[in-house]
Amino acid sequence: MPIETINEVVEWLKDSRHERITFTFHGGEPLLAGADFYRQALPLLSEGLRHMNPEFALQTNLWRMTPELAEILAEYNVPIGSSIDGPKELNDFQRGNGYFDKCMRGYEIARAHGLNVRFICTFTSHSVEYKEDIFNFFLQHGFDLKLHPALPSLRDRNPEKWALAPEKYGELLVYLLDQSLEHLGEIEVMNINDLCRGVFTRRGNVCTFVDCMGSTFAVGPDGSIYPCYRFVGMPEYVMGNVYDRPDLEDLARSDAWNLMHRFKEYVDQACSGCAHINYCRGGCPYNAIAPTGGEIHGVDPHCVAYRRIFDEITERLNKELYESPGMRPGGSRARRRRGARPGIMELMHRIVLS
């Protein structure tokens, strides 16, 4: 993305509503932009939109991380997201030989400069069979774990090759719930935290489980505005362009905006009888819409997995609240002294306080 487009983003947003905003530099590979880009872009956004208290994040494979880049990012407290799929052999089988070592070299540079780095782990139909090895890898290295289920490819002749089946995804989430409780205080499984928080607060806490239209946008290198980063590069989802300074009413007239709202209306009807509708909202619109070419035939295909884990959390929570004598005052500490695994209430208590 040229600096000119960053300037146009500032001009587009400078008169918008005064509230917090987060800019996430995403792929392709954002570190390819180089140190000079971030040396200009970060102060432009930070100072030009000071009234919105801008924060930043960056998603990268870390291969191009340098001490110079790390210093610039550290000045603006930019948290880093990267991807590691577990132990080196398994990771490189999925991502290509050499990926693991190059990522770890970048990780060491980032950490040496005080940057906060977290990893997303993509589980595929292959790697899910090694979930114990993957979890232990993250646990032993002191890495927080955030998982992403592999979706069918939109560009491959064999789109299901790596895709994680929804049923397997549901089993994986229950396994990670168990591991979160078994190792409470030793590792954070971000997805489990978000899912539990959703059940507890009765509303979604991450973009997958909220009606995100109107609060999340992505800007492509040419200034095109999309509903989110996953649609970037798909012309049919362009809602406008920052160079034209569109307001929300302008964006709301676009086909993409209307499609996203039709998905919301579809969820309101199709999921009306689901106990989890308020904190699931049919899952990710991209997962539901992109594979069908923009037709709405159903909700996020991972619905089976979401229902499985939401049911599991709710059932365990209700059991602890209404059936377990260990949840009387002091029950949690007594249970820990007996060596029993912490319960959902203890996990939720930590999440709420964090």
Side-chain angles (χ1 to χ4, degrees):
M1 176 180 288
I3 286 296
E4 181 186 359
T5 301
I6 296 292
N7 272 311
E8 293 299 322
V9 168
V10 172
E11 292 300 314
W12 174 48
L13 293 175
K14 70 178 183 181
D15 295 324
S16 63
R17 56 196 178 192
H18 290 205
E19 61 181 42
R20 278 196 170 276
I21 188 170
T22 298
F23 292 96
T24 300
F25 297 95
H26 214 284
E29 172 46 56
L31 293 189
L32 286 171
D36 286 343
F37 171 81
Y38 290 100
R39 191 177 285 112
Q40 296 177 70
L42 290 171
L44 276 173
L45 293 166
S46 183
E47 296 165 16
L49 299 172
R50 185 176 302 165
H51 65 289
M52 302 180 79
N53 299 304
E55 296 179 350
F56 304 99
L58 188 144
Q59 186 68 32
T60 169
N61 61 24
L62 287 170
W63 294 9
R64 297 277 183 147
M65 182 60 72
T66 64
E68 181 184 15
L69 264 167
E71 287 179 10
I72 297 167
L73 297 174
E75 182 180 351
Y76 288 86
N77 299 311
V78 181
I80 304 294
S82 192
S83 296
I84 282 289
D85 294 346
K88 178 178 177 178
E89 182 178 348
L90 179 59
N91 177 87
D92 284 6
F93 177 78
Q94 294 192 164
R95 294 185 175 267
N97 291 334
Y99 181 106
F100 186 94
D101 289 340
K102 285 184 278 191
C103 181
M104 286 296 102
R105 281 197 295 270
Y107 169 77
E108 294 299 336
I109 293 172
R111 291 297 296 142
H113 287 79
L115 291 169
N116 179 24
V117 181
R118 283 180 166 174
F119 291 106
I120 296 174
C121 176
T122 297
F123 279 86
T124 67
S125 56
H126 173 76
S127 66
V128 73
E129 303 303 326
Y130 302 90
K131 60 181 181 292
E132 294 88 356
D133 295 333
I134 294 171
F135 179 82
N136 288 331
F137 168 84
F138 278 82
L139 179 66
Q140 291 164 8
H141 284 78
F143 297 154
D144 291 340
L145 171 59
K146 183 175 182 180
L147 69 102
H148 171 73
L151 290 161
S153 172
L154 300 183
R155 300 178 178 86
D156 198 294
R157 294 180 180 178
N158 182 16
E160 300 288 342
K161 178 181 178 182
W162 296 100
L164 183 62
E167 294 79 10
K168 285 283 189 180
Y169 183 26
E171 293 172 7
L172 173 63
L173 288 171
V174 173
Y175 166 79
L176 291 174
L177 173 61
D178 288 335
Q179 294 305 307
S180 292
L181 297 175
E182 185 73 32
H183 298 279
L184 194 63
E186 301 176 57
I187 185 173
E188 296 289 332
V189 182
M190 307 309 296
N191 306 68
I192 297 302
N193 287 359
D194 293 331
L195 293 163
C196 287
R197 190 180 290 111
V199 173
F200 187 78
T201 63
R202 313 304 292 174
R203 59 182 177 82
N205 291 269
V206 291
C207 65
T208 302
F209 302 119
V210 298
D211 296 322
C212 56
M213 194 66 241
S215 62
T216 301
F217 300 106
V219 178
D222 65 348
S224 294
I225 304 167
Y226 301 84
C228 87
Y229 77 92
R230 301 185 74 183
F231 292 104
V232 172
M234 303 171 75
E236 62 271 33
Y237 293 101
V238 173
M239 299 187 298
N241 195 292
V242 296
Y243 285 82
D244 299 325
R245 312 282 197 277
D247 58 23
L248 279 179
E249 291 183 358
D250 295 326
L251 298 178
R253 286 191 285 269
S254 68
D255 291 341
W257 180 292
N258 290 323
L259 177 61
M260 296 288 280
H261 275 273
R262 288 202 303 275
F263 177 76
K264 175 184 179 296
E265 292 167 356
Y266 176 87
V267 169
D268 287 337
Q269 293 182 350
C271 303
S272 60
C274 179
H276 312 300
I277 183 173
N278 289 338
Y279 45 87
C280 178
R281 299 302 305 153
C284 177
Y286 174 89
N287 292 350
I289 296 170
T292 67
E295 298 293 327
I296 301 174
H297 299 308
V299 297
D300 186 332
H302 287 136
C303 171
V304 171
Y306 303 149
R307 185 186 294 269
R308 172 77 189 280
I309 188 62
F310 283 135
D311 281 348
E312 189 75 23
I313 293 169
T314 303
E315 181 179 339
R316 295 191 192 191
L317 179 60
N318 288 338
K319 187 172 182 179
E320 288 183 20
L321 285 173
Y322 301 115
E323 299 179 18
S324 173
M327 290 313 296
R328 297 182 192 135
S332 176
R333 288 189 295 273
R335 188 172 59 253
R336 294 297 289 273
R337 285 196 297 270
R338 293 194 300 269
R341 183 165 59 194
I344 292 288
M345 284 298 296
E346 192 164 346
L347 174 59
M348 287 192 174
H349 181 70
R350 292 177 64 95
I351 293 170
V352 169
L353 291 180
S354 64

